[in-house]
């Protein structure tokens, strides 16, 4: 069976690529339905892009690589497509856009787009092997108990990364890329909760508050959620992509607050109250109690010297913690690292040394922040490859 293009992976990037590569394109996936990660994303409503998507929201060894695709297919282009299909959406915080109804609307839209372009979709198909004879790619498959050899001029790797293995995620794209000599960068889980030993924060499980956090990268002012395993919430997911094993993280528990000023004012107004009681006015009660024990805070407010209050204010605004690790690929939203961008054209996503081989989406060493940025990379990189393939035909 001969095709112009075979795309491995019916996720966001793969279907977007198929919708623009056009007739003679076959999309293959092992799953029973296309776009499974789209379906479960955003609590089932899919945070499909971000109003503020730009190169500064992405992590890569080469921070300039993503600029070409992102500038040529922007968040506004995808919003226009969503609007054309009559999919209602709304903005949450920080420019994050979600479907009003269901993420399935985005999946249905992409399937309609690829079918309208003349592409085909084949699900529940295993990839047994891939080879290339310098002119044609051969993909050995098994579908419904039947083995077939499919051939194509172009092969697109769009199978994503290793995150959420229970959904079938594997390192297939990396294995094939390595088979064809493309360099790989070490991979690790990104946008993932931190873990701490011995259930350190178990008594605080469910406690949430706004913080400002960082870990050898930009600071993110978003929510923190304490769990029985450790620390989660948007702020922790964001900084996890910058964190390296063994490094500390820094948390400002009262961002935008003159903490020392408030403590001194409380010393005047609540001098007879216990320090731990006053701390409960500034923080969630459970957290205030926990920190009072952890930091051995004692005495009334009136007993606290300026120096003691300065030290407490510093602790509250620069809470230094050292995670044991993260929850790993099991709960990670993305995979950092992957196919080195040095091996690819930033305009077409085609491998420089293997004509006709393209790598898009999460498999590439381009990782977005939390908030719809990774979907935008899928749309932009998929579009770039699809357009390049169509123009080459």
């Amino acid at each position: 069976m001969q095709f112009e293009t075979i795309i491995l992976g019916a996720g966001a990037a793969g279907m977007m690529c198929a919708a623009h590569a056009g007739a003679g394109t076959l999309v293959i996936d092992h799953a029973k339905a296309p776009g499974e990660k789209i379906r479960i994303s955003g609590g089932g409503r899919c945070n499909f892009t971000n109003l503020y998507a730009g190169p500064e929201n992405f992590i890569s060894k080469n921070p300039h690589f993503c600029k070409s695709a992102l500038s040529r297919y922007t968040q506004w282009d995808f919003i226009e497509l969503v609007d054309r299909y009559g999919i209602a959406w709304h903005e949450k915080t920080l420019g994050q856009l979600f479907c009003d109804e269901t993420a399935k609307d985005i999946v249905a839209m992409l399937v309609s787009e690829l079918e309208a372009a003349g592409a085909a979709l084949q699900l529940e198909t295993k990839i047994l092997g891939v080879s290339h004879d310098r002119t044609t790619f051969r993909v050995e498959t098994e579908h419904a108990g039947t083995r077939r050899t499919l051939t194509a001029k172009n092969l697109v790797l769009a199978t994503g990364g290793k995150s959420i293995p229970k959904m079938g995620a594997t390192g297939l794209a990396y294995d094939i890329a390595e088979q064809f000599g493309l360099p790989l960068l070490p991979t690790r889980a990104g946008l993932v909760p931190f873990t701490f030993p011995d259930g350190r924060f178990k008594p605080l499980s469910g406690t949430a508050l706004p913080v400002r956090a960082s870990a050898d990268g930009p600071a993110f002012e978003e929510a923190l959620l304490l769990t029985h395993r450790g620390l989660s919430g948007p702020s922790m997911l964001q900084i996890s992509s910058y964190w390296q094993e063994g490094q500390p993280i820094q948390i400002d528990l009262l961002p935008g607050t003159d903490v020392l000023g408030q403590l001194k004012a409380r010393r005047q107004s609540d001098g007879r109250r216990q320090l731990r009681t006053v701390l409960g006015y500034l923080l969630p009660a459970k957290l205030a109690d926990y920190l009072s024990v952890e930091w051995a805070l004692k005495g009334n407010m009136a007993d606290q010297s300026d120096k003691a209050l300065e030290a407490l204010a510093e602790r509250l605004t620069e809470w230094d913690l050292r995670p044991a690790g993260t929850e790993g690929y099991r709960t990670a939203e993305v995979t950092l690292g992957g196919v080195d961008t040095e091996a690819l054209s930033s305009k077409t996503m085609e491998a420089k040394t293997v004509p006709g081989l393209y790598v898009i989406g999460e498999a590439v060493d381009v990782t977005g922040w939390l908030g719809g940025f990774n979907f935008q990379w899928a749309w932009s990189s998929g579009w770039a490859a699809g357009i390049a393939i169509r123009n080459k035909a």
Side-chain angles (χ1 to χ4, degrees):
M1 299 180 69
Q2 297 182 339
F3 298 90
E4 188 70 22
T5 303
I6 293 176
I7 300 174
L8 305 184
M15 288 194 286
M16 190 67 172
C17 181
H20 292 89
T25 299
L26 177 67
V27 184
I28 300 173
D29 201 291
H30 69 278
K32 293 181 179 180
E36 284 294 84
K37 281 192 177 181
I38 299 174
R39 181 182 61 79
I40 68 166
S41 66
R45 291 192 175 181
C46 187
N47 179 193
F48 58 82
T49 193
N50 194 293
L51 293 177
Y52 308 115
E56 65 277 8
N57 307 119
F58 293 85
I59 303 166
S60 174
K61 188 182 82 169
N62 178 3
H64 302 290
F65 180 85
C66 64
K67 291 180 178 179
S68 177
L70 290 172
S71 66
R72 289 183 298 129
Y73 190 89
T74 70
Q75 58 269 41
W76 309 110
D77 294 311
F78 194 76
I79 292 169
E80 182 182 9
L81 176 62
V82 169
D83 287 343
R84 199 187 327 146
Y85 274 78
I87 300 172
W89 53 270
H90 60 278
E91 178 187 355
K92 284 193 176 180
T93 58
L94 305 173
Q96 301 171 32
L97 302 190
F98 290 78
C99 297
D100 281 359
E101 299 296 331
T102 172
K104 293 178 182 178
D105 291 338
I106 299 294
V107 177
M109 177 190 75
L110 293 169
V111 172
S112 294
E113 283 288 289
L114 72 85
E115 289 177 345
L121 186 60
Q122 183 175 299
L123 301 170
E124 298 183 270
T125 301
K126 292 181 180 179
I127 307 300
L128 303 177
V130 175
S131 60
H132 187 229
D133 64 5
R134 296 189 179 183
T135 60
T136 304
F137 290 94
R138 296 169 64 89
V139 181
E140 307 293 334
T141 68
E142 183 178 332
H143 174 68
T146 302
R147 294 195 174 195
R148 289 195 179 100
T149 299
L150 312 178
T151 62
K153 294 180 182 178
N154 306 297
L155 180 67
V156 183
L157 304 183
T159 56
K162 299 177 181 178
S163 58
I164 317 183
K166 69 179 181 181
M167 301 215 46
T170 67
L172 179 62
Y174 309 135
D175 294 339
I176 297 174
E178 190 171 34
Q179 175 187 331
F180 286 109
L182 304 190
L184 300 178
L185 296 175
T187 59
R188 58 190 177 89
L191 300 182
V192 62
F194 290 110
T195 58
F196 286 78
D198 306 321
R200 179 174 177 181
F201 299 115
K202 190 174 182 179
L204 303 176
S205 183
T207 301
L209 69 158
V211 302
R212 182 179 174 84
S214 62
D216 196 30
F220 293 90
E221 197 163 321
E222 298 190 58
L224 162 69
L225 174 66
L226 294 114
T227 74
H228 64 288
R229 290 193 183 93
L231 300 179
S232 187
S235 64
M236 296 298 102
L237 300 189
Q238 295 281 34
I239 67 173
S240 72
S241 294
Y242 293 89
W243 180 78
Q244 297 287 343
E245 189 171 355
Q247 285 184 335
I249 61 174
Q250 292 78 38
I251 302 174
D252 180 350
L253 292 169
L254 294 160
T257 301
D258 177 7
V259 180
L260 180 58
Q262 287 216 22
L263 290 173
K264 287 183 175 180
R266 289 285 183 178
R267 183 173 59 184
Q268 291 293 325
S269 63
D270 298 287
R272 294 183 179 181
R273 295 188 183 275
Q274 290 285 315
L275 176 55
R276 66 188 299 167
T277 301
V278 170
L279 195 58
Y281 299 153
L282 304 177
L283 298 172
K286 282 186 178 181
L287 180 58
D289 287 343
Y290 174 88
L291 293 177
S292 295
V293 174
E294 182 86 357
W295 297 342
L297 301 180
K298 298 178 181 178
N300 297 333
M301 286 300 296
D303 300 328
Q304 310 302 315
S305 66
D306 283 352
K307 187 175 182 181
L309 292 183
E310 287 169 7
L312 177 57
E314 184 175 343
R315 275 182 155 181
L316 290 169
T317 55
E318 298 179 20
W319 192 20
D320 197 83
L321 295 168
R322 199 173 297 270
T326 71
E327 293 187 8
Y329 293 118
R330 183 181 65 82
T331 60
E333 296 200 17
V334 292
T335 304
L336 291 147
V339 177
D340 194 334
T341 58
E342 291 296 317
L344 307 174
S345 162
S346 62
K347 183 177 181 181
T348 66
M349 307 304 295
E350 186 175 18
K352 295 175 181 177
T353 57
V354 187
L357 179 64
Y358 299 77
V359 191
I360 59 176
E362 190 182 351
V364 182
D365 174 39
V366 175
T367 304
W369 291 357
L370 184 72
F373 299 103
N374 286 291
F375 272 128
Q376 186 56 48
W377 172 245
W379 315 137
S380 298
S381 61
W383 177 90
I387 289 295
I389 290 168
R390 190 176 70 191
N391 290 341
K392 189 170 68 172

